[in-house]
Amino acid sequence: MEAPGNEKFRDSIGTVNQEGKRSWVYPKKPEGKFYKYRTWVSYGLLLFLFAAPFIKINGNQFLMFNVLERRFNIFGFPFWPQDFHLFVISMIIGVVFIILFTVAFGRIFCGWICPQTIFLEMVFRRIEYWIDGDRGKQIRLAKQVWNAEKIRKRALKWIIFFMISFLIANIFLAYLIGSDELLRYITEGPKTHTSTLISLLIFTGVFYFIFAWFREQVCIIACPYGRLQGALLDKKSIVVAYDYKRGEKEAGRAKFRKNEDRETTGKGDCIDCAQCVQVCPTNIDIRNGTQLECVNCTACIDACDAMMKKVNLPTGLIRYASEENIAEKKKFTFNPRLKAYSAVLFILMGVLVGMLFLRNDVEATVLRLPGQLYEKKADNVIRNVYTFKLVNKTVEPIEDVHFKLISHSGKIELVTHENFEVPKQGLSEGTLFIDINQAALESDKERLKIGVYSGDKLIETTVASFLGPRSFR
């Protein structure tokens, strides 16, 4: 069923033709004020992306997501499996933050911050412009027969694309296993780590496929965020928008004619030059209104402003604006919906900060050995056997570690040694016995408070249950 009127464009996407085959997009090289700002932001984020795995804070990698060992570092804070709730809260905060900015500013994350957009527009397409030329030259080269020039340009571009994809795969590997491990793998050579090299080549192939062929279809087809914005945007959201009231007026858009008084004829300020379409990386016409494919990259704003200046018309025909602003000239307001999202965000951030301050550097767990009852020794001493696990979240080893009973009078005896060391960012496990005189017990099952000491300093406390004979008091 065809959409009525100018809504027909919503029946298909710009990257697929009528036969259902891939329609290659050749966007014109953007230039202008917003593109310059976006370039600075993109290169700053690229620098951060490549440097973050190699930055250390108190010996901790600035960002690391080691899924295999279940170790995560976020902004230098280490998160262990015991801190999984903190990691979950951090991820929820990230999601709420993106939702808040989507409600307020549309897909600004996609156009300015998303790694997919930054790599494609600021790295791979720039190389393509350098080798193949701008839009017109790229179209002619695509139609050209496979002669020496085309083979040379294609081979050079594909080799460079593969090298950059391999570099990106290495950087992502540094996020997964840690930069120190990556550097060790490199120095020891690929023969020593064949499985890692195979994984690296697989990821290289994935990145190459995405940036050399799949490209903008990631944003249109694969990424769920484009669908999410449909549920989040409203008339108050600021997006890249075409001012149809000014562009169409009474007589609609029309080509520019020199010395023509467009005010008298009732023609809109849009001169139908199609520059906004030619520069769009997802091949849409922004004049049709807000669309799923639009990533708010602002390329159409720069192109339109440049044309308006050439024909002596005011700029801003395409600009950051809300539907309400264009239709009713209303200014952006911090509405109740934004206030609600902001309140949720600040509450979550407060909870996370509080939990980070309350989090201990040492995690202690002492559990009774499953299936074991108590043992009655001489002088009415009751013994229980336990296993313990100590996790050191710091970058320094903890020395002279031992246990003491805090809640009861008794003795703790380690099976293998008295005092021991917990390695940096590591754990120690073992078995211990707790002996308590029956006279000190008030029930057959009591809660013990156990202190973990490093020398004379109490570094953590934990609790464990203690079984004994039923009391006859």
Side-chain angles (χ1 to χ4, degrees), residues 166-398:
F166 185 72
L167 177 62
I168 296 170
N170 274 273
I171 294 299
F172 272 82
L173 185 63
Y175 279 99
L176 293 176
I177 66 173
S179 57
D180 293 338
E181 282 294 296
L182 175 66
L183 294 174
R184 184 173 68 84
Y185 287 179
I186 293 172
T187 54
E188 290 178 358
K191 290 183 179 179
T192 315
H193 305 282
T194 310
S195 59
T196 303
L197 178 62
I198 293 171
S199 302
L200 202 59
L201 290 175
I202 291 172
F203 278 103
T204 300
V206 171
F207 288 126
Y208 180 83
F209 169 75
I210 289 172
F211 295 116
W213 191 84
F214 205 54
R215 298 195 158 196
E216 67 284 336
Q217 293 189 117
V218 172
C219 308
I220 299 172
I221 300 172
C223 181
Y225 186 55
R227 274 76 180 166
L228 181 64
Q229 74 158 349
L232 296 175
L233 296 183
D234 57 23
K235 294 182 178 181
K236 302 177 188 294
S237 301
I238 296 177
V239 295
V240 173
Y242 166 67
D243 190 342
Y244 60 90
K245 290 213 163 186
R246 180 187 145 194
E248 309 293 323
K249 292 186 179 176
E250 296 84 10
R253 67 183 77 146
K255 295 288 184 183
F256 177 76
R257 292 182 181 178
K258 198 173 182 180
N259 300 323
E260 178 186 32
D261 187 355
R262 296 178 76 90
E263 285 289 337
T264 304
T265 59
K267 295 177 180 177
D269 283 359
C270 177
I271 61 173
D272 209 16
C273 63
Q275 289 298 304
C276 58
V277 180
Q278 293 181 15
V279 81
C280 179
T282 56
N283 200 32
I284 64 167
D285 190 340
I286 193 65
R287 295 171 296 179
N288 288 328
T290 302
Q291 296 157 68
L292 178 149
E293 298 95 323
C294 179
V295 294
N296 283 22
C297 70
T298 68
C300 55
I301 297 180
D302 286 330
C304 185
D305 284 350
M307 290 305 298
M308 291 295 101
K309 289 176 183 177
K310 288 179 181 178
V311 297
N312 295 318
L313 289 172
T315 59
L317 182 59
I318 301 175
R319 63 181 186 273
Y320 273 120
S322 65
E323 185 180 334
E324 198 174 63
N325 173 256
I326 291 172
E328 305 171 27
K329 302 298 180 186
K330 288 186 177 181
K331 292 184 178 180
F332 175 76
T333 57
F334 201 63
N335 57 58
R337 190 183 180 197
L338 290 175
K339 290 176 182 177
Y341 281 122
S342 299
V344 172
L345 181 63
F346 280 113
I347 290 170
L348 287 172
M349 289 177 67
V351 170
L352 178 63
V353 170
M355 286 184 168
L356 286 173
F357 275 109
L358 293 173
R359 190 187 72 151
N360 293 326
D361 291 334
V362 178
E363 190 85 24
T365 306
V366 178
L367 297 173
R368 288 189 69 258
L369 199 62
Q372 292 290 323
L373 293 175
Y374 63 87
E375 177 188 352
K376 193 167 185 180
K377 300 179 68 181
D379 301 325
N380 286 330
V381 172
I382 307 300
R383 166 171 285 191
N384 280 204
V385 60
Y386 299 81
T387 58
F388 69 86
K389 181 184 290 187
L390 296 181
V391 178
N392 180 6
K393 302 173 185 177
T394 69
V395 293
E396 297 293 334
I398 302 176

Side-chain angles (χ1 to χ4, degrees), residues 45-111:
L45 290 173
L46 282 174
L47 180 63
F48 174 79
L49 179 71
F50 281 84
F54 303 96
I55 297 173
K56 300 285 183 69
I57 296 180
N58 295 326
N60 294 316
Q61 188 169 306
F62 190 69
L63 286 175
M64 185 176 71
F65 306 94
N66 192 333
V67 179
L68 297 177
E69 297 180 8
R70 294 180 296 170
R71 287 175 52 196
F72 306 92
N73 290 349
I74 300 179
F75 305 134
F77 286 99
F79 292 86
W80 289 72
Q82 294 83 359
D83 300 319
F84 187 71
H85 59 289
L86 297 177
F87 181 74
V88 170
I89 292 175
S90 300
M91 294 299 101
I92 293 173
I93 287 173
V95 171
V96 174
F97 185 80
I98 292 174
I99 288 174
L100 173 63
F101 268 75
T102 303
V103 171
F105 303 110
R107 288 182 78 173
I108 193 169
F109 172 84
C110 298

